[in-house]
């Protein structure tokens, strides 16, 4: 799996929240949930061409250490309620995988917005 030495990219997992303003209006916004170190992989080979076929060339894979805080990304609504911020660029999460169910690594496929 990931070589710890290559986990050199700082990403921020963000959560989509709805709050009520002082005026009583609902405000929807992304807030920082958890900063983590990640290994970033650009897609290549079959994965690249599959993404290109659906105009998703900006799809990347982030690999992070497993954390109970991040387990919810693998749940059904996790990909809708969370996203990744990398170098001030937002990435919508397509899929998160607890690799081999070992609770050691999460592979997160995401597409740049």
């Amino acid at each position: 799996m990931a070589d710890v030495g290559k986990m050199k990219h700082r990403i921020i997992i963000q959560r989509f929240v709805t709050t009520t303003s002082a005026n009583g209006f609902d405000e929807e916004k992304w807030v920082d949930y958890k900063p983590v170190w990640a290994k970033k992989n650009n897609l290549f080979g079959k994965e690249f061409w599959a993404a290109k076929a659906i105009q998703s060339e900006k799809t990347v894979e982030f690999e992070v250490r497993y954390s109970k805080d991040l387990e919810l990304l693998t749940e059904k609504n996790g990909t809708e309620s969370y996203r990744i911020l990398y170098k001030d660029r937002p990435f919508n999460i397509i899929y998160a995988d607890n690799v081999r169910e070992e609770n050691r690594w999460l592979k997160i496929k995401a597409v740049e917005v």
Side-chain angles (χ1 to χ4, degrees):
M1 283 295 87
D3 178 5
V4 175
K6 295 185 181 183
M7 311 268 298
K8 61 183 180 177
H9 301 283
R10 194 64 162 172
I11 65 173
I12 299 172
I13 307 295
Q14 293 186 316
R15 177 174 46 193
F16 189 71
V17 297
T18 302
T19 58
T20 304
S21 70
N23 299 340
F25 294 103
D26 286 344
E27 293 178 348
E28 297 177 332
K29 61 183 175 180
W30 291 98
V31 296
D32 293 353
Y33 174 68
K34 184 172 181 112
V36 294
W37 290 102
K39 177 180 173 186
K40 179 180 171 279
N41 299 314
N42 293 320
L43 297 184
F44 56 92
K46 285 194 302 188
E47 288 184 325
F48 172 78
W49 291 109
K52 191 166 180 61
I54 58 170
Q55 283 77 41
S56 296
E57 301 93 54
K58 295 182 182 181
T59 303
V60 297
E61 181 180 83
F62 295 97
E63 192 168 346
V64 301
R65 289 177 192 242
Y66 172 86
S67 162
K68 280 265 191 207
D69 297 336
L70 299 179
E71 179 64 29
L72 44 84
L73 296 177
T74 64
E75 296 173 3
K76 185 175 182 178
N77 295 333
T79 58
E80 298 167 8
S81 304
Y82 295 85
R83 74 176 184 182
I84 293 173
L85 192 63
Y86 170 66
K87 292 187 176 181
D88 293 324
R89 297 174 7 224
F91 288 79
N92 287 337
I93 297 173
I94 299 169
Y95 181 74
D97 178 33
N98 180 354
V99 179
R100 292 191 293 271
E101 301 286 325
E102 293 178 347
N103 296 347
R104 295 186 61 208
W105 304 104
L106 285 178
K107 282 190 176 184
I108 305 168
K109 271 197 185 159
V111 63
E112 188 172 3
V113 180

